[in-house]
Amino acid sequence: MSGRRSRSRQSSGTSRISEDQINDLIIKLQQLLPELRDSRRSDKVSAARVLQDTCNYIRNLHREVDDLSERLSELLANTDTAQAALIRSLLTQ
Amino acid sequence: MSFIKVLILKFSSLRTQTMASSDKTINTDVPEKDVFAIHFLQSLSNLTTQNPFNSPDTTNYRARKIKKAAYVSMAKAAGGSSRLWSRALLGRAAKENNKIVRFARRKRKVTWKISSKRRSDQRAPEATDRLRNLVPGGGTMETSKLMEETAHYIKCLSMQVKVMQCLVDGLSPK
């Protein structure tokens, strides 16, 4: 198994992930975070900070999904029959 | 009819937005909003036919169902078993439904063995461990895989939030 891994990652030679690879991944993560995305390249953001912010961002998104589910639930309950019929026709398309 | 138009307009505006800001260096296999929306709308319609939405006392229960439907739709839109997080998410959802799903075994090997040796990144152990708890299936991933999956998961999650927001906006009384 380790043989297959090192063959797929010829640059590293061992199964150990190189620092560069991790740094690349952290930069990629950073670009996905609204707060850190716009910070300039020269402003070095620490890996710990990126990971921390990633956690917070995911948690926020989870919370948004919770809220939106509740609102959808209420909206679908309150839609009058005409609109409900409309939506149903949309859903069955 | 007007509702459909609103929905279509929103979807197309969303699509152009993400086209402009999308980062091509990261995995570009983020699912289309439409794919997620179709999955999600279908499960919503199943929900409405199963239990009518007009009994007021079950709003919470329904919200939970909707939430679950959203996550499952997202995992399906992301290609089901092709991603570790979506696989974990679908597996968990199926477990709750007492169903057994079997995925192809090939991809599993990569994750399990290494994880025990290298559970956390030396530089930010706490943050990495928190991340493991947030990303479905993260507990068994090696660090680099965890980060890859996290990047993909974030993209899908924010897509999911956008689509759900569209639906809420479209359904809200004007």
Side-chain angles (χ1 to χ4, degrees):
Chain A
M1 179 176 166
S2 65
R4 205 184 304 160
R5 276 175 57 80
S6 56
R7 219 180 303 147
S8 66
R9 288 214 185 93
Q10 285 173 340
S11 56
S12 56
T14 61
S15 65
R16 184 133 190 88
I17 322 147
S18 73
E19 281 284 297
D20 288 346
Q21 274 172 309
I22 295 275
N23 285 339
D24 276 358
L25 287 165
I26 284 179
I27 288 169
K28 281 176 186 174
L29 272 183
Q30 187 183 335
Q31 286 163 356
L32 292 175
L33 303 174
E35 280 178 45
L36 297 179
R37 180 167 43 201
D38 300 324
S39 63
R40 284 184 205 134
R41 291 234 157 193
S42 52
D43 309 338
K44 179 86 175 150
V45 184
S46 74
R49 170 84 200 282
V50 173
L51 291 175
Q52 208 86 42
D53 281 26
T54 306
C55 291
N56 294 338
Y57 186 48
I58 292 180
R59 206 162 285 152
N60 282 340
L61 287 170
H62 282 165
R63 220 170 289 142
E64 272 185 78
V65 173
D66 289 357
D67 288 351
L68 288 168
S69 303
E70 273 166 36
R71 286 183 65 191
L72 268 179
S73 170
E74 284 162 18
L75 284 168
L76 288 173
N78 293 334
T79 43
D80 56 25
T81 39
Q83 205 177 356
L86 189 68
I87 295 157
R88 218 164 291 135
S89 71
L90 173 77
L91 296 180
T92 49
Q93 270 175 18
Chain B
M1 194 61 195
S2 63
F3 177 68
I4 301 172
K5 276 183 183 164
V6 169
L7 210 66
I8 289 169
L9 274 175
K10 297 234 166 164
F11 274 126
S12 45
S13 71
L14 266 177
R15 186 184 277 181
T16 45
Q17 263 176 36
T18 43
M19 291 280 245
S21 65
S22 72
D23 177 16
K24 292 192 178 63
T25 56
I26 308 184
N27 321 305
T28 45
D29 54 342
V30 177
E32 289 280 326
K33 275 156 219 74
D34 315 32
V35 182
F36 165 72
I38 288 164
H39 278 294
F40 186 46
L41 288 171
Q42 251 156 15
S43 34
L44 275 187
S45 104
N46 289 343
L47 273 179
T48 44
T49 47
Q50 274 166 23
N51 37 346
F53 268 27
N54 40 27
S55 48
D57 50 346
T58 54
T59 315
N60 267 338
Y61 171 75
R62 220 164 36 222
R64 253 181 291 141
K65 284 261 186 187
I66 290 176
K67 184 175 139 189
K68 192 176 169 189
Y71 281 110
V72 169
S73 307
M74 172 176 73
K76 280 182 184 162
S81 63
S82 66
R83 280 271 160 187
L84 292 176
W85 69 259
S86 56
R87 182 190 282 249
L89 211 158
L90 288 176
R92 198 194 293 159
K95 216 172 182 179
E96 282 169 26
N97 294 347
N98 294 320
K99 282 183 199 156
I100 301 166
V101 274
R102 290 206 181 86
F103 292 123
R105 296 177 79 195
R106 195 154 42 96
K107 287 213 167 177
R108 248 175 150 178
K109 275 186 191 166
V110 192
T111 46
W112 298 98
K113 292 200 175 173
I114 316 140
S115 58
S116 53
K117 285 184 212 157
R118 211 180 299 124
R119 260 199 80 82
S120 57
D121 186 20
Q122 303 90 326
R123 275 166 302 182
E126 311 92 33
T128 321
D129 283 343
R130 277 176 64 205
L131 210 54
R132 284 183 202 286
N133 291 329
L134 286 171
V135 179
T140 54
M141 291 176 201
E142 63 167 315
T143 309
S144 64
K145 193 73 195 163
L146 174 72
M147 288 178 186
E148 260 180 63
E149 293 283 319
T150 304
H152 191 253
Y153 183 60
I154 287 181
K155 282 187 163 188
C156 291
L157 254 187
S158 49
M159 180 273 294
Q160 179 190 13
V161 167
K162 276 183 196 161
V163 174
M164 288 178 83
Q165 187 69 58
C166 273
L167 277 177
V168 167
D169 291 347
L171 285 170
S172 296
K174 302 285 170 331

